Each structure stands twice: as C-alpha cells, then as structure tokens.
Amino acid sequence: LALDVPTGGATRVETIDALGRRVHHETRTLPAGAHALALNASGWAPGVYAIRVPAGGAMVTVRLVHR
C-alpha cells in the first residue's frame, strides 16, 4: 500500500469496509514522506476497503480492492 504522509509522528492506520465498519487498526510511527505499508488482509472478505491515515491535521485515504 503506497501513501504519502505530510508530517511525521505516531499515527493510526485504519481499514474501513464498504459498510463503514473498522476491520483493522494499528498505530505506527511514520516519518514525513512516501511510504509503502504492508497490511495482512488474509482474514478480510473480498471487497472494497478504505485505508485511512490521519497525519498532520489531514486525512490520507487510499482505496483498496481485496479479491
């Protein structure tokens, strides 16, 4: 999962399913800049998910399709 974080620090990584349920969350320390995050989606049902990372007053959201 590729994302760009505007400011560094401890931040939450949340995964939300198409029904708005949080299916995964964790806290990571990320410096500012581009990142490639690995998420274990083996227990997730196939579908569309939103990966949300609040950072520096902004919300970075990435769409993920799990098959």
Side-chain angles (χ1 to χ4, degrees):
L1 174 68
L3 61 97
D4 189 26
V5 178
T7 54
T11 189
R12 275 185 339 269
V13 178
E14 297 181 329
T15 304
I16 310 299
D17 69 9
L19 298 175
R21 299 176 295 196
R22 185 172 66 178
V23 297
H24 174 82
H25 70 280
E26 63 184 82
T27 300
R28 293 189 182 191
T29 300
L30 301 173
H35 298 276
L37 300 180
L39 296 175
N40 182 359
S42 62
W44 303 353
V48 178
Y49 294 85
I51 312 299
R52 300 190 313 192
V53 181
M59 180 70 72
V60 177
T61 304
V62 177
R63 182 175 163 245
L64 172 74
V65 178
H66 179 58
R67 296 177 190 206

Coordinates of all heavy atoms in Angstrom, one line a residue:
L1 N 0.8 -1.2 0.0 CA 0.0 0.0 0.0 C 0.9 1.2 0.0 O 1.7 1.4 0.9 CB -0.9 0.0 1.2 CG -1.8 1.2 1.5 CD1 -2.8 1.2 0.4 CD2 -2.4 1.0 2.9
A2 N 0.8 2.1 -1.0 CA 1.6 3.3 -1.1 C 0.8 4.5 -0.7 O -0.3 4.7 -1.0 CB 2.1 3.4 -2.6
L3 N 1.5 5.3 0.2 CA 0.8 6.5 0.6 C 1.9 7.6 0.9 O 3.1 7.2 1.2 CB -0.1 6.3 1.8 CG 0.5 5.8 3.1 CD1 0.8 6.9 4.0 CD2 -0.5 4.8 3.7
D4 N 1.5 8.8 0.9 CA 2.4 9.9 1.2 C 1.9 10.7 2.5 O 0.7 11.1 2.5 CB 2.4 10.9 0.0 CG 3.5 12.0 0.2 OD1 4.5 11.7 0.9 OD2 3.4 13.0 -0.4
V5 N 2.7 10.7 3.5 CA 2.3 11.3 4.8 C 2.9 12.7 4.9 O 4.1 12.9 4.7 CB 2.8 10.4 6.0 CG1 2.5 11.1 7.3 CG2 2.3 9.0 5.9
P6 N 2.1 13.8 5.1 CA 2.6 15.1 5.0 C 3.5 15.5 6.2 O 4.4 16.2 6.0 CB 1.3 16.0 5.0 CG 0.2 15.1 5.4 CD 0.6 13.7 5.2
T7 N 3.2 15.0 7.4 CA 4.0 15.2 8.6 C 4.2 13.9 9.3 O 3.3 13.1 9.4 CB 3.4 16.3 9.5 OG1 2.1 15.9 9.9 CG2 3.4 17.6 8.9
G8 N 5.4 13.7 9.9 CA 5.7 12.5 10.6 C 5.2 12.4 12.0 O 4.7 13.4 12.6
G9 N 5.3 11.2 12.6 CA 4.9 11.0 14.0 C 4.1 9.8 14.1 O 3.9 9.0 13.2
A10 N 3.7 9.5 15.4 CA 2.8 8.3 15.6 C 1.5 8.6 15.0 O 0.9 9.7 15.2 CB 2.7 8.1 17.1
T11 N 1.0 7.6 14.3 CA -0.3 7.8 13.6 C -1.1 6.5 13.6 O -0.5 5.4 13.6 CB -0.2 8.4 12.2 OG1 -1.4 8.7 11.7 CG2 0.5 7.4 11.3
R12 N -2.4 6.6 13.5 CA -3.3 5.4 13.3 C -3.4 5.0 11.9 O -3.4 5.8 11.0 CB -4.7 5.7 13.8 CG -4.9 5.6 15.2 CD -6.4 5.8 15.6 NE -7.2 6.5 14.6 CZ -7.4 7.9 14.6 NH1 -6.8 8.6 15.5 NH2 -8.2 8.4 13.7
V13 N -3.4 3.7 11.6 CA -3.7 3.2 10.3 C -5.0 2.4 10.5 O -5.0 1.4 11.2 CB -2.6 2.3 9.8 CG1 -3.0 1.7 8.4 CG2 -1.3 3.0 9.7
E14 N -6.1 2.8 9.8 CA -7.4 2.2 10.0 C -7.9 1.6 8.6 O -7.7 2.3 7.6 CB -8.4 3.2 10.5 CG -8.2 3.8 11.8 CD -9.3 4.7 12.2 OE1 -9.9 5.4 11.3 OE2 -9.6 4.8 13.4
T15 N -8.5 0.5 8.7 CA -9.1 -0.1 7.5 C -10.6 -0.2 7.7 O -11.1 -0.7 8.7 CB -8.6 -1.5 7.2 OG1 -7.1 -1.4 7.1 CG2 -9.1 -2.0 5.9
I16 N -11.4 0.4 6.8 CA -12.8 0.5 6.9 C -13.4 -0.2 5.7 O -13.0 0.0 4.6 CB -13.3 2.0 6.9 CG1 -12.5 2.9 7.9 CG2 -14.8 2.1 7.1 CD1 -12.7 2.5 9.3
D17 N -14.4 -1.1 6.0 CA -15.0 -1.9 4.9 C -16.1 -1.0 4.2 O -16.4 0.1 4.7 CB -15.5 -3.2 5.4 CG -16.7 -3.2 6.3 OD1 -17.3 -2.1 6.5 OD2 -17.1 -4.2 6.8
A18 N -16.8 -1.6 3.2 CA -17.8 -0.9 2.4 C -19.0 -0.5 3.3 O -19.8 0.4 2.9 CB -18.2 -1.7 1.2
L19 N -19.2 -1.2 4.4 CA -20.4 -0.9 5.3 C -20.0 0.1 6.4 O -20.8 0.4 7.3 CB -20.9 -2.2 5.9 CG -21.4 -3.2 4.9 CD1 -21.9 -4.5 5.6 CD2 -22.6 -2.6 4.1
G20 N -18.8 0.6 6.4 CA -18.3 1.6 7.4 C -17.8 1.0 8.6 O -17.5 1.7 9.6
R21 N -17.6 -0.3 8.7 CA -17.1 -1.0 9.9 C -15.5 -1.0 9.9 O -14.9 -1.2 8.8 CB -17.5 -2.4 9.9 CG -19.0 -2.6 10.0 CD -19.5 -4.0 10.0 NE -19.1 -4.5 8.7 CZ -19.6 -5.7 8.2 NH1 -20.4 -6.4 8.9 NH2 -19.2 -6.1 7.0
R22 N -14.9 -0.7 11.0 CA -13.5 -0.8 11.1 C -13.1 -2.2 11.3 O -13.4 -2.9 12.2 CB -13.0 0.1 12.3 CG -11.5 0.1 12.4 CD -11.0 1.1 13.5 NE -11.4 0.6 14.8 CZ -11.1 1.2 15.9 NH1 -10.5 2.3 15.9 NH2 -11.5 0.7 17.0
V23 N -12.3 -2.7 10.3 CA -11.9 -4.2 10.3 C -10.5 -4.3 10.8 O -10.1 -5.5 11.1 CB -12.1 -4.8 8.9 CG1 -13.6 -4.8 8.6 CG2 -11.3 -4.1 7.9
H24 N -9.7 -3.2 10.8 CA -8.3 -3.3 11.3 C -7.9 -1.9 11.7 O -8.3 -0.9 11.1 CB -7.4 -3.8 10.1 CG -6.0 -3.8 10.4 ND1 -5.4 -4.8 11.1 CD2 -5.0 -2.9 10.1 CE1 -4.1 -4.5 11.2 NE2 -3.9 -3.3 10.7
H25 N -7.0 -1.9 12.7 CA -6.4 -0.7 13.1 C -5.1 -1.0 13.9 O -5.0 -2.0 14.5 CB -7.3 0.2 14.0 CG -7.6 -0.4 15.4 ND1 -8.5 -1.4 15.6 CD2 -7.1 -0.1 16.6 CE1 -8.5 -1.7 16.9 NE2 -7.6 -0.9 17.5
E26 N -4.2 -0.1 13.7 CA -2.9 -0.2 14.4 C -2.3 1.2 14.5 O -2.7 2.1 13.7 CB -2.0 -1.2 13.7 CG -1.6 -0.8 12.3 CD -0.7 -1.8 11.6 OE1 -1.3 -2.8 11.1 OE2 0.5 -1.7 11.7
T27 N -1.3 1.4 15.4 CA -0.6 2.6 15.5 C 0.8 2.4 15.0 O 1.5 1.4 15.3 CB -0.5 3.1 16.9 OG1 -1.9 3.3 17.4 CG2 0.2 4.4 17.0
R28 N 1.3 3.3 14.1 CA 2.6 3.2 13.6 C 3.3 4.5 13.7 O 2.6 5.6 13.6 CB 2.6 2.8 12.1 CG 2.2 1.4 11.8 CD 2.4 1.0 10.4 NE 1.9 -0.4 10.1 CZ 2.2 -1.0 9.0 NH1 2.9 -0.5 8.1 NH2 1.7 -2.2 8.9
T29 N 4.6 4.5 13.8 CA 5.4 5.8 13.7 C 6.0 5.9 12.3 O 6.7 5.1 11.9 CB 6.5 5.8 14.8 OG1 5.9 5.6 16.1 CG2 7.3 7.1 14.8
L30 N 5.5 7.0 11.7 CA 5.9 7.2 10.3 C 6.6 8.6 10.1 O 6.0 9.6 10.6 CB 4.7 7.1 9.3 CG 3.9 5.9 9.3 CD1 2.7 6.0 8.5 CD2 4.8 4.7 8.8
P31 N 7.8 8.7 9.5 CA 8.3 10.0 9.2 C 7.6 10.6 8.0 O 6.9 9.9 7.3 CB 9.8 9.7 8.9 CG 9.8 8.3 8.5 CD 8.7 7.6 9.2
A32 N 7.7 11.9 7.9 CA 7.0 12.5 6.7 C 7.6 12.0 5.4 O 8.8 11.6 5.4 CB 7.3 14.0 6.8
G33 N 6.8 11.8 4.4 CA 7.2 11.4 3.1 C 6.4 10.2 2.6 O 5.4 9.8 3.1
A34 N 7.0 9.6 1.5 CA 6.3 8.5 0.9 C 6.6 7.2 1.6 O 7.7 7.0 2.1 CB 6.8 8.4 -0.6
H35 N 5.6 6.3 1.7 CA 5.8 5.0 2.4 C 5.1 3.9 1.6 O 4.1 4.1 0.9 CB 5.2 5.1 3.8 CG 5.8 6.1 4.7 ND1 6.9 5.8 5.4 CD2 5.5 7.4 4.9 CE1 7.3 6.9 6.1 NE2 6.4 7.9 5.8
A36 N 5.6 2.7 1.8 CA 4.9 1.5 1.3 C 4.6 0.7 2.6 O 5.5 0.2 3.2 CB 5.8 0.7 0.4
L37 N 3.3 0.6 2.9 CA 2.9 -0.2 4.1 C 2.4 -1.6 3.7 O 1.7 -1.7 2.7 CB 1.8 0.5 4.8 CG 2.0 1.9 5.3 CD1 0.8 2.5 6.0 CD2 3.2 2.0 6.3
A38 N 2.8 -2.6 4.5 CA 2.3 -3.9 4.3 C 1.2 -4.2 5.3 O 1.3 -3.9 6.5 CB 3.4 -4.9 4.5
L39 N 0.0 -4.6 4.8 CA -1.1 -5.0 5.6 C -1.5 -6.4 5.4 O -1.5 -6.9 4.2 CB -2.3 -4.1 5.3 CG -2.2 -2.6 5.5 CD1 -3.4 -1.9 5.0 CD2 -2.0 -2.3 7.0
N40 N -1.8 -7.2 6.5 CA -2.2 -8.6 6.3 C -3.7 -8.6 6.1 O -4.4 -8.4 7.1 CB -1.7 -9.3 7.6 CG -2.1 -10.8 7.5 OD1 -2.7 -11.3 6.5 ND2 -1.7 -11.6 8.5
A41 N -4.1 -8.9 4.9 CA -5.6 -8.9 4.6 C -6.1 -10.3 4.5 O -7.2 -10.5 3.9 CB -5.8 -8.1 3.3
S42 N -5.4 -11.3 5.0 CA -5.7 -12.7 4.8 C -7.1 -13.0 5.4 O -7.8 -13.9 4.9 CB -4.7 -13.6 5.3 OG -4.5 -13.4 6.7
G43 N -7.5 -12.4 6.5 CA -8.8 -12.7 7.1 C -9.9 -11.8 6.6 O -11.1 -11.9 7.1
W44 N -9.7 -10.9 5.7 CA -10.7 -10.0 5.2 C -11.5 -10.6 4.1 O -11.0 -11.3 3.2 CB -10.1 -8.7 4.7 CG -9.3 -7.9 5.6 CD1 -9.1 -8.2 6.9 CD2 -8.5 -6.8 5.3 NE1 -8.2 -7.3 7.5 CE2 -7.8 -6.4 6.5 CE3 -8.2 -6.1 4.2 CZ2 -7.0 -5.3 6.6 CZ3 -7.4 -5.0 4.2 CH2 -6.8 -4.6 5.4
A45 N -12.8 -10.3 4.0 CA -13.7 -10.8 2.9 C -13.3 -10.0 1.7 O -12.8 -8.8 1.8 CB -15.1 -10.5 3.3
P46 N -13.5 -10.6 0.5 CA -13.3 -9.8 -0.7 C -14.2 -8.6 -0.8 O -15.3 -8.6 -0.3 CB -13.7 -10.8 -1.8 CG -13.6 -12.2 -1.2 CD -13.9 -12.0 0.2
G47 N -13.7 -7.5 -1.3 CA -14.4 -6.3 -1.3 C -13.6 -5.0 -1.4 O -12.3 -5.1 -1.6
V48 N -14.2 -3.9 -1.3 CA -13.5 -2.6 -1.4 C -13.3 -2.1 0.1 O -14.3 -2.1 0.9 CB -14.3 -1.6 -2.2 CG1 -13.6 -0.2 -2.2 CG2 -14.5 -2.1 -3.6
Y49 N -12.1 -1.6 0.4 CA -11.8 -1.1 1.7 C -11.2 0.3 1.5 O -10.6 0.6 0.5 CB -10.8 -2.0 2.4 CG -11.4 -3.3 2.7 CD1 -11.4 -4.4 1.8 CD2 -12.0 -3.6 3.9 CE1 -11.9 -5.6 2.1 CE2 -12.5 -4.8 4.2 CZ -12.5 -5.8 3.3 OH -13.0 -7.0 3.6
A50 N -11.3 1.1 2.6 CA -10.7 2.4 2.7 C -9.6 2.3 3.7 O -9.9 1.9 4.9 CB -11.7 3.5 3.0
I51 N -8.4 2.6 3.4 CA -7.3 2.7 4.4 C -7.1 4.2 4.7 O -6.9 5.0 3.9 CB -6.0 2.2 3.8 CG1 -6.2 0.8 3.1 CG2 -4.9 2.1 4.9 CD1 -6.7 -0.3 4.0
R52 N -7.3 4.5 6.0 CA -7.3 5.9 6.4 C -6.1 6.1 7.4 O -5.9 5.3 8.3 CB -8.6 6.3 7.1 CG -9.8 6.2 6.3 CD -11.0 6.8 6.8 NE -11.2 6.5 8.2 CZ -12.3 6.7 8.9 NH1 -13.4 7.3 8.3 NH2 -12.5 6.3 10.1
V53 N -5.3 7.2 7.1 CA -4.2 7.5 8.0 C -4.3 9.0 8.3 O -4.0 9.8 7.4 CB -2.9 7.2 7.2 CG1 -1.7 7.5 8.1 CG2 -2.8 5.7 6.8
P54 N -4.7 9.4 9.5 CA -4.7 10.8 9.8 C -3.3 11.2 10.1 O -2.5 10.6 10.8 CB -5.5 10.9 11.1 CG -5.6 9.5 11.6 CD -5.3 8.5 10.5
A55 N -2.8 12.3 9.5 CA -1.4 12.8 9.7 C -1.4 14.3 9.5 O -1.8 14.8 8.5 CB -0.5 12.1 8.6
G56 N -0.9 15.0 10.5 CA -0.6 16.4 10.4 C -1.9 17.2 10.1 O -1.8 18.2 9.4
G57 N -3.0 16.9 10.7 CA -4.3 17.6 10.5 C -5.0 17.3 9.2 O -6.0 17.8 8.9
A58 N -4.4 16.4 8.4 CA -5.0 15.9 7.2 C -5.4 14.4 7.3 O -4.8 13.7 8.1 CB -4.1 16.1 6.0
M59 N -6.3 14.0 6.5 CA -6.6 12.5 6.4 C -6.2 12.0 5.1 O -6.7 12.4 4.0 CB -8.1 12.4 6.6 CG -8.6 10.9 6.6 SD -8.0 9.9 8.0 CE -9.1 10.6 9.3
V60 N -5.2 11.1 5.1 CA -4.8 10.4 3.8 C -5.7 9.2 3.7 O -5.7 8.3 4.6 CB -3.3 10.0 3.9 CG1 -2.9 9.3 2.7 CG2 -2.5 11.3 4.1
T61 N -6.4 9.0 2.6 CA -7.3 7.9 2.4 C -6.9 7.2 1.1 O -6.8 7.9 0.0 CB -8.8 8.3 2.3 OG1 -9.1 9.0 3.5 CG2 -9.7 7.1 2.2
V62 N -6.7 5.9 1.1 CA -6.4 5.1 0.0 C -7.4 4.0 -0.2 O -7.8 3.4 0.8 CB -5.0 4.5 0.1 CG1 -4.6 3.6 -1.1 CG2 -3.9 5.5 0.3
R63 N -7.9 3.8 -1.4 CA -8.9 2.8 -1.7 C -8.1 1.5 -2.0 O -7.2 1.5 -2.8 CB -9.7 3.2 -2.9 CG -10.8 2.3 -3.3 CD -11.7 2.9 -4.4 NE -12.4 1.8 -5.0 CZ -12.3 1.4 -6.2 NH1 -11.4 2.0 -7.0 NH2 -13.0 0.4 -6.7
L64 N -8.6 0.4 -1.5 CA -8.0 -0.9 -1.7 C -9.1 -1.9 -2.1 O -10.1 -2.0 -1.5 CB -7.4 -1.4 -0.4 CG -6.8 -2.8 -0.3 CD1 -5.5 -2.9 -1.1 CD2 -6.6 -3.3 1.1
V65 N -8.8 -2.7 -3.2 CA -9.7 -3.7 -3.6 C -9.1 -5.0 -3.3 O -8.0 -5.3 -3.7 CB -10.0 -3.6 -5.1 CG1 -10.9 -4.8 -5.6 CG2 -10.7 -2.3 -5.5
H66 N -9.8 -5.8 -2.4 CA -9.2 -7.1 -2.0 C -10.0 -8.2 -2.6 O -11.2 -8.2 -2.6 CB -9.4 -7.2 -0.4 CG -8.9 -8.5 0.1 ND1 -7.6 -9.0 0.0 CD2 -9.5 -9.4 0.9 CE1 -7.5 -10.1 0.6 NE2 -8.7 -10.4 1.1
R67 N -9.3 -9.1 -3.3 CA -10.0 -10.2 -4.1 C -9.8 -11.5 -3.4 O -8.9 -11.8 -2.8 CB -9.5 -10.3 -5.5 CG -9.8 -9.0 -6.2 CD -9.3 -9.0 -7.6 NE -9.4 -7.7 -8.1 CZ -9.5 -7.4 -9.4 NH1 -9.4 -8.3 -10.3 NH2 -9.7 -6.2 -9.8

